Amino acid sequence: MNILVTGGTGYIGSHTVVELLNRGEQVVIVDNLSNSYDNVIDRIESICGRHPDFVKADVRDFKKMEAVFAQYDFDAVIHFAGSKAVGESVAKPLLYYRNNLESTWVLVELMKKYNVPSIIFSSSATVYGETDLVPIKEDTEYRCTNPYGRTKMINELFLQDIVAAHPGISAICLRYFNPIGAHASGLIGEDPQGIPNNLMPYITQVAIGKLKMLSVFGNDYPTHDGTGVRDYIHVVDLAKGHLAAVDYVRQNQASGFLAVNLGTGRGYSVLDLVHTFSRVSGKDIPYQLTERRPGDIATCYADPSKAKELFCWETKLDLQKMCEDSWRWQSKNPTGYKR
Ligand code: NAD
Ligand code: WQD
């Protein structure tokens, strides 16, 4: 299959490209490198022994994207490209709405024009927002709490409308829970710019000595140790979830619109993660207990049964493996991809 992967040099995109190449798919990456590096391509080649085609372009650039669609006969689009920092989206909503909505619009226009039948879209558990019903099922209502989350929700609604009007197009919105970990080779992983917002990259940077101490945001939540509980999913399991979705659209032409959770179905607290990471890395992670972070919820984990039923996909890699692989990536690449 010929697959367009937007955002394919990013964290989740690069891991997905590796899995696609490893099973013989033809991959074309489009990325503007706004949050990634071009040497990711060489790392991908070192892992797979194959080089994906790469076009440096902004997905919103209709002309450039049209040239890509005209050159390749795509069977599917996997759309990772987007801006993803919750805090930044509150400060710069215009940037988030433009980048995250316009890119999907351009892709769908071109899919229509060039008869590309399927799009797999990176959605997020963030669309559920302030729900207190766990495990979270896909029919839970949208309760997003920030502009980033609303861009994901609007993309989902947009794709629903497109699919309803154009039966030749099907869309699968994959709602990721909390991806962590890295490829077992230690060659690709998450490389956030500046001080990380997310828990695992913060922990790995404390472990490597780049940051002094972790702040644990709140220990008075109604959870087993008072700290927030999340559904951490290994990025390689997540990547394989995309392959399962590709197989599903291949076998079910005109499958319509689907929203599907990708999570493990298990929740771990902040301190569970800190302790497991310390154990597997042999590194002490100094932490201080601080106030809750505004907008955080106590507990969030998936009901992953829809993905299992439809895609025959479930996660295989446990928290220990997630911590081992995050640590291998960070310790082999103390400055990330920067040379
Ligand atoms: P990432 O920032 O590592 O990857 C996104 C890639 O898209 C980057 O390489 C960036 O350069 C590129 N990009 C951004 N805007 C672009 C544009 N207009 N044109 C071309 N390229 C563009 O992020 P990630 O963690 O790999 O996330 C991938 C997707 O999954 C995003 O849509 C994100 O919102 C979603 N998601 C991520 C998480 C998470 O915790 N990482 C959770 C849920 C959903
Ligand atoms: C996890 C837990 C924090 C940092 C975010 C986005 C979501 C999705 C994934 C894209 C929480 C605690 C964190 C720290 C801490 N991204 N924490 N100290 O908030 O569940 O989800 O990333 O779609 O949209 O909101 O992930 O890793 O930031 O936090 O105590 O320095 O760790 O309070 O309980 P979150 P996270």
Side-chain angles (χ1 to χ4, degrees):
M1 247 175 136
N2 246 354
I3 301 175
L4 170 62
V5 181
T6 75
T9 48
Y11 173 45
I12 306 169
S14 57
H15 288 82
T16 304
V17 168
V18 163
E19 297 305 320
L20 289 166
L21 291 175
N22 276 345
R23 73 163 202 194
E25 309 286 359
Q26 299 302 316
V27 174
V28 180
I29 295 176
V30 172
D31 201 300
N32 64 1
L33 304 179
S34 56
N35 198 34
S36 55
Y37 298 88
D38 59 358
N39 56 355
V40 171
I41 303 288
D42 299 332
R43 305 275 185 110
I44 290 173
E45 188 174 12
S46 305
I47 296 170
C48 306
R50 284 180 64 204
H51 201 91
D53 285 5
F54 173 62
V55 179
K56 184 178 176 214
D58 193 305
V59 179
R60 295 168 298 169
D61 185 332
F62 197 95
K63 266 196 174 161
K64 275 196 186 163
M65 290 307 293
E66 171 136 38
V68 174
F69 274 76
Q71 185 183 346
Y72 297 92
D73 186 16
F74 292 123
D75 303 289
V77 175
I78 308 183
H79 180 29
F80 292 104
S83 307
K84 64 164 182 176
V86 171
E88 189 185 42
S89 78
V90 176
K92 299 178 184 169
L94 200 53
L95 188 150
Y96 272 68
Y97 280 96
R98 278 204 69 171
N99 200 30
N100 291 1
L101 302 183
E102 216 178 316
S103 51
T104 317
W105 168 73
V106 167
L107 289 171
V108 171
E109 283 277 7
L110 290 167
M111 286 172 63
K112 259 183 70 204
K113 186 161 176 187
Y114 288 86
N115 296 317
V116 181
S118 316
I119 180 165
I120 292 165
F121 173 71
S122 294
S123 190
S124 170
T126 206
V127 299
Y128 299 121
E130 281 173 336
T131 186
D132 41 17
L133 287 172
V134 284
I136 303 175
K137 291 177 95 66
E138 288 83 351
D139 58 5
T140 305
E141 62 178 330
Y142 293 118
R143 288 179 71 184
C144 324
T145 57
N146 55 69
Y148 166 71
R150 282 187 278 275
T151 67
K152 293 296 179 192
M153 175 188 75
I154 294 167
N155 266 302
E156 290 200 359
L157 296 172
F158 168 65
L159 289 170
Q160 265 182 59
D161 288 340
I162 294 296
V163 164
H166 305 285
I169 294 183
S170 60
I172 300 186
C173 294
L174 297 176
R175 295 176 177 164
Y176 315 152
F177 280 67
N178 289 57
I180 60 170
H183 192 264
S185 62
L187 285 168
I188 56 172
E190 186 173 13
D191 184 13
Q193 292 180 3
I195 296 176
N197 301 309
N198 295 115
L199 180 60
M200 181 55 104
Y202 205 104
I203 290 176
T204 61
Q205 292 195 14
V206 169
I208 200 101
K210 241 170 133 174
L211 296 169
K212 274 212 170 78
M213 186 180 293
L214 172 73
S215 292
V216 174
F217 300 144
N219 70 336
D220 56 351
Y221 286 108
T223 62
H224 64 274
D225 60 16
T227 67
V229 165
R230 298 289 182 273
D231 187 336
Y232 297 99
I233 173 171
H234 196 297
V235 66
V236 171
D237 273 335
L238 187 66
K240 289 181 175 165
H242 292 75
L243 273 66
V246 165
D247 290 341
Y248 182 85
V249 291
R250 195 169 6 211
Q251 287 151 21
N252 300 272
Q253 290 295 315
S255 53
F257 175 89
L258 283 173
V260 181
N261 288 340
L262 294 185
T264 65
R266 233 201 115 157
Y268 288 100
S269 73
V270 176
L271 292 180
D272 290 335
L273 199 62
V274 169
H275 295 141
T276 307
F277 185 89
S278 281
R279 184 167 50 75
V280 305
S281 65
K283 293 279 172 185
D284 190 31
I285 305 297
Y287 67 85
Q288 57 183 349
L289 300 170
T290 64
E291 291 296 295
R292 293 180 179 193
R293 183 172 62 179
D296 274 357
I297 54 171
T299 302
C300 171
Y301 57 91
D303 177 338
S305 53
K306 190 170 176 184
K308 187 171 180 189
E309 195 186 306
L310 291 180
F311 302 160
C312 304
W313 168 91
E314 58 188 330
T315 58
K316 300 235 158 24
L317 306 173
D318 63 11
L319 193 69
Q320 171 160 331
K321 175 79 172 141
M322 298 181 212
C323 291
E324 282 168 3
D325 290 340
S326 290
W327 177 231
R328 185 178 305 104
W329 156 252
Q330 182 69 83
S331 49
K332 279 181 79 169
N333 305 272
T335 56
Y337 288 109
K338 292 157 218 81
R339 288 176 261 225

